[in-house]
Amino acid sequence: MADPRALARHARAYVDISALWVRAAMAYRASWWMLTIGGFLITGIDFVGIWILFHNVDALGGFTLQEVAFLYGGSGVAMALADLFVGRIERIGQMIRLGKLDQMMVRPVPLLVQVCADEFALRRIARVLQAALVLGWGCTYVDWTPSRALLTGVMIAAGTAIFFALFIGFACIQFWTTDSAEVANAFTYGGNTLTSYPLSVFPSEVVKGLTFFFPIAFVNWYPSLQVLGRDDPFGYPDWTQYLSPVVAVALVALALLVWRTGVRQYRSTGS
Amino acid sequence: MSLIEVRDLRRTFRVRRRDDVVAVHDVSFDIEPGEMVGYIGPNGAGKSTTIKMLTGILVPTSGHLRVAGVDPSKRRTALASRIGVVFGQRTTLWWDLPLRDSFELLQKIYRIPPARYRQNLDRFLELLDLGDLLDTPVRQLSLGQRMRGDITAALLHDPEILYLDEPTIGLDVVSKGRLREFLRALNAERATTLLLTTHDLQDIEALCDRVMVIDHGSLVFDGALTQLQARGGSSRTLVVDLVDERPAIEVPGAVTVRVDGPRQWLTFPADASAAPIVSAVAAGYDVADLSIQEPDIEDVIRELYAGR
């Protein structure tokens, strides 16, 4: 797994498989554009809701609209990127039932790569763009320093990796139950919803939970406090604001371990 | 060292919290390069489970397993480029895409050199008569066309071993015949090792010198097809249509097992010649028509299960 040449080969296989699906989808070009633009508008409504909220209040959990945009966009971009690249894994139960997984297992590309690239839908990029736009707007209000810019980049990468881990880890439940995609959604999409708001709107117990047990606070909350120049409302030490990459690596490692266990326990279907 | 080495291979499945179900029970066999082996047994006997362990899809519960020198479940991805697998009831092709796209993607993910890919594709398209269908989406292909597409897909990377799970299921007689011919040619030209599970015993008769029979997870027979027929103690049947109704025919060497109007059924041992019996019947009776039914291998296998 750690061999860079092998990783490059797997990435190449991912691109080859996805390219095939993009080409297939582009056969119906008008339909593709409609779905993509539609996706962009629908997810856009999401932030419009927050914007309307700010017509009635000046701050949410002590954060301005621009700061909330930065938080929302940071989590949104990370989620949308993870969803674009590995979101298909939530269909793994269906792949098991249809016997598709068996076929993937006899091809010389790691199963995880094939599962994630299967029926790759480029139209999900609409969500990335929408979140990036909100993040970009939030960014214009940030008092930039080189280290804050770097930390923002790291935050997006780590956040994407954390959602990546959540997608994979929770999809593995389906190795045992074959039909429980909704359970995984509660954690992936649910996690995204929670981190779309400043965590200061929640009681401190919830934030404790989102830090130590289900650590999605590291997707955007802690690094954003540093970038926005805010003190931690719950009094956690400053170094937690740099911890996102560590949490991301640990969660990805854990998710891959669960994945391996799931594949080894895989029972296939009859005949 | 054999190409496929199986020793005391076992796979159990836990069914809820009750006892484990043993799907494959301490099976042992070896397959040498270039062999064409038929693997037969009733539904749920453990055929597919065995194939899935050989390909690395399922991890064995216990036992020793080596395919081309490696443990399939541990080195599944590496082994994949050396084997081809066709699941008769499910396509390995991409459903919504034209055959050509599926083949080109396979070229990329198997890293088949372009010259080799062209050569193989041209050869298989010609042998399997698929050339006109390259741009047809897989979902629009007939079952027989799809199966030929699947077999091409499984062979483009020159696998040493080809596993076929029910390759002729649902095919018409012509398609079946063409497929068998192709597989024979493949084995002759490239010495590809074939392991074939099937319900159609004609597949076995046409292709395989060796048969393995599995029942309730255990291997109950492993040997030559002729040996299987002999072991089953099976018989051939002479069907006689007399000019008019008669009592049961009595001739030496055969036993009349059924009389239905002018038609009578006589059985005689599979290894005996039909000629003296036919001439004895013709000499003693007014015969309108005669036909001989070869031993039905399904009966042989049924007897084999019953005799255990």
Side-chain angles (χ1 to χ4, degrees):
Chain A
M1 201 65 192
D3 175 13
R5 269 201 328 226
L7 280 178
R9 204 166 61 230
H10 302 337
R12 181 66 203 270
Y14 182 93
V15 171
D16 286 337
I17 298 170
S18 332
L20 186 76
W21 290 106
V22 172
R23 208 145 35 95
M26 285 300 181
Y28 307 96
R29 199 170 290 263
S31 151
W32 187 86
W33 277 108
M34 260 152 59
L35 283 170
T36 308
I37 293 168
F40 182 83
L41 294 176
I42 286 169
T43 52
I45 290 171
D46 210 21
F47 187 71
V48 170
I50 295 177
W51 182 65
I52 291 170
L53 192 69
F54 269 88
H55 274 268
N56 301 299
V57 296
D58 294 328
L60 197 58
F63 286 73
T64 66
L65 176 61
Q66 291 76 22
E67 287 170 324
V68 173
F70 186 84
L71 286 164
Y72 173 96
S75 168
V77 169
M79 172 66 185
L81 282 174
D83 190 25
L84 175 67
F85 290 116
V86 305
R88 283 293 302 179
I89 200 172
E90 63 185 25
R91 305 287 289 274
I92 195 166
Q94 196 188 29
M95 296 178 199
I96 292 171
R97 287 195 300 281
L98 294 177
K100 254 179 143 173
L101 205 72
D102 288 0
Q103 288 146 15
M104 291 178 182
M105 287 178 95
V106 296
R107 295 206 188 109
V109 173
L111 187 61
L112 187 58
V113 172
Q114 293 186 71
V115 168
C116 294
D118 186 54
E119 294 186 31
F120 176 83
L122 186 62
R123 64 168 189 274
R124 291 180 186 220
I125 202 147
R127 176 116 176 70
V128 182
L129 292 176
Q130 180 266 343
L133 218 63
V134 175
L135 178 66
W137 182 66
C139 278
T140 58
Y141 294 88
V142 171
D143 187 9
W144 288 107
T145 66
S147 70
R148 282 179 177 178
L150 181 67
L151 187 60
T152 304
V154 170
M155 171 181 86
I156 298 295
T160 306
I162 290 171
F163 279 122
F164 171 96
L166 295 183
F167 268 115
I168 293 170
F170 286 103
C172 286
I173 297 173
Q174 300 181 53
F175 276 120
W176 289 276
T177 63
T178 67
D179 195 14
S180 52
E182 293 75 15
V183 178
N185 286 350
F187 291 97
T188 51
Y189 296 96
N192 177 222
T193 305
L194 286 176
T195 51
S196 294
Y197 300 95
L199 293 191
S200 47
V201 303
F202 297 115
S204 67
E205 289 75 20
V206 172
V207 178
K208 198 177 277 175
L210 298 181
T211 302
F212 295 105
F213 297 106
F214 179 56
I216 51 164
F218 291 95
V219 167
N220 62 346
W221 173 247
Y222 289 115
S224 294
L225 289 175
Q226 180 64 227
V227 174
L228 299 172
R230 304 287 300 244
D231 292 329
D232 192 313
F234 299 100
Y236 288 102
D238 278 358
W239 52 262
T240 55
Q241 295 163 0
Y242 299 98
L243 219 55
S244 292
V246 179
V247 173
V249 168
L251 284 181
V252 169
L254 187 65
L256 292 178
L257 194 70
V258 174
W259 170 259
R260 268 181 71 91
T261 312
V263 173
R264 293 216 39 104
Q265 307 231 333
Y266 174 55
R267 300 164 52 111
S268 186
T269 46
S271 84
Chain B
M1 193 184 66
S2 304
L3 185 59
I4 299 176
E5 259 182 32
V6 178
R7 290 286 171 282
D8 302 320
L9 188 66
R10 182 189 294 221
R11 171 73 205 209
T12 58
F13 289 102
R14 177 144 295 173
V15 183
R16 294 197 192 87
R17 283 198 191 136
R18 283 178 285 139
D19 299 335
D20 289 352
V21 171
V22 185
V24 172
H25 191 239
D26 300 349
V27 163
S28 301
F29 58 83
D30 286 308
I31 294 177
E32 305 300 329
E35 273 197 279
M36 295 173 97
V37 181
Y39 193 38
I40 56 181
N43 283 332
K47 300 186 299 275
S48 289
T49 304
T50 311
I51 300 267
K52 282 174 185 171
M53 286 192 279
L54 292 175
T55 51
I57 293 172
L58 288 176
V59 182
T61 305
S62 65
H64 167 91
L65 176 57
R66 288 287 179 279
V67 175
V70 303
D71 181 344
S73 67
K74 292 212 173 87
R75 309 260 306 138
R76 176 169 47 79
T77 315
L79 184 63
S81 3
R82 304 179 62 178
I83 63 170
V85 187
V86 177
F87 298 103
Q89 310 189 57
R90 290 169 179 145
T91 182
T92 56
L93 303 164
W94 284 266
W95 196 246
D96 294 311
L97 303 174
L99 269 183
R100 186 192 301 279
D101 286 2
S102 282
F103 292 157
E104 280 172 7
L105 180 57
L106 290 171
Q107 184 208 342
K108 286 181 188 148
I109 65 181
Y110 280 94
R111 303 154 70 78
I112 308 167
R116 188 69 191 149
Y117 170 74
R118 281 265 127 249
Q119 197 184 340
N120 276 347
L121 186 62
D122 290 346
R123 180 92 180 104
F124 296 140
L125 291 183
E126 184 203 317
L127 273 177
L128 290 167
D129 196 16
L130 269 178
D132 300 338
L133 299 169
L134 264 185
D135 294 306
T136 313
V138 172
R139 65 183 133 77
Q140 289 174 14
L141 298 178
S142 75
L143 194 61
Q145 291 166 339
R146 205 212 72 201
M147 178 53 63
R148 284 180 272 150
D150 262 315
I151 289 182
T152 304
L155 288 171
L156 286 171
H157 58 285
D158 290 316
E160 295 158 58
I161 307 170
L162 180 62
Y163 300 102
L164 297 152
D165 195 1
E166 300 285 352
T168 57
I169 201 160
L171 299 192
D172 60 66
V173 180
V174 179
S175 303
K176 280 183 186 178
R178 181 150 45 178
L179 194 59
R180 291 176 191 140
E181 210 173 291
F182 170 78
L183 293 172
R184 255 200 313 269
L186 178 82
N187 176 262
E189 274 177 32
R190 308 187 178 202
T192 308
T193 307
L194 241 77
L195 181 63
L196 160 95
T197 78
T198 183
H199 272 89
D200 187 337
L201 295 154
Q202 287 179 347
D203 288 346
I204 306 277
E205 287 170 351
L207 292 171
C208 305
D209 300 323
R210 177 176 165 198
V211 191
M212 298 192 296
V213 183
I214 189 170
D215 187 34
H216 290 100
S218 299
L219 215 51
V220 292
F221 178 85
D222 181 359
L225 183 62
T226 47
Q227 219 180 315
L228 177 63
Q229 286 162 340
R231 175 163 160 177
S234 163
S235 50
R236 292 200 279 176
T237 306
L238 179 68
V239 183
V240 183
D241 284 327
L242 297 175
V243 176
D244 45 14
E245 285 186 38
R246 286 299 180 88
I249 296 170
E250 282 178 34
V251 290
V255 182
T256 305
V257 290
R258 192 175 157 208
V259 179
D260 183 7
R263 177 169 287 188
Q264 305 205 3
W265 285 262
L266 286 73
T267 64
F268 56 99
D271 50 358
S273 167
I277 297 162
V278 171
S279 38
V281 170
Y285 300 84
D286 287 333
V287 177
D289 198 9
L290 281 172
S291 67
I292 293 173
Q293 289 174 352
E294 290 303 315
D296 189 349
I297 199 170
E298 272 178 70
D299 290 337
V300 174
I301 288 160
R302 209 168 297 129
E303 281 169 45
L304 197 66
Y305 300 150
R308 281 211 304 137

